[in-house]
């Protein structure tokens, strides 16, 4: 079950990388000085990626907890 914990930690870290990417993408879009429609389109993409990254991170944490409980 130790492998399950490490796999979960890696999946959770991948989700964290996705969340950081979303933060960087939104800050770049805000600094770019885009018009309203273009900014909304970029933010919509970032929100979608943010939700996906949060889900991946949650699944990784669930794997870690499952590995701890089964160990």
């Amino acid at each position: 079950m130790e492998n399950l914990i490490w796999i979960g930690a890696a999946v959770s870290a991948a989700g964290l990388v996705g969340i950081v990417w979303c933060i960087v993408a939104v800050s770049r879009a805000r600094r770019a000085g885009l018009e309203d429609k273009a900014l909304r389109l970029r933010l919509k993409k970032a929100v979608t990626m943010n939700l996906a990254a949060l889900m991946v991170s949650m699944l990784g944490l669930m794997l870690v907890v499952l590995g701890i409980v089964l160990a």
Side-chain angles (χ1 to χ4, degrees):
M1 291 304 128
E2 186 177 329
N3 289 335
L4 189 61
I5 295 171
W6 284 108
I7 291 170
V11 170
S12 195
L16 182 63
V17 168
I19 292 169
V20 170
W21 177 86
C22 291
I23 293 169
V24 170
V26 168
S27 67
R28 282 184 183 169
R30 292 183 82 195
R31 275 189 264 142
L34 300 172
E35 290 189 21
D36 191 39
K37 272 192 171 185
L39 183 62
R40 284 182 188 266
L41 187 64
R42 281 198 189 179
L43 291 179
K44 188 182 236 186
K45 179 183 174 187
V47 167
T48 304
M49 278 297 296
N50 190 28
L51 289 175
L54 284 172
M55 189 172 101
V56 168
S57 183
M58 179 197 64
L59 289 174
L61 290 174
M62 287 173 62
L63 286 174
V64 169
V65 170
L66 184 65
I68 291 171
V69 169
L70 293 176

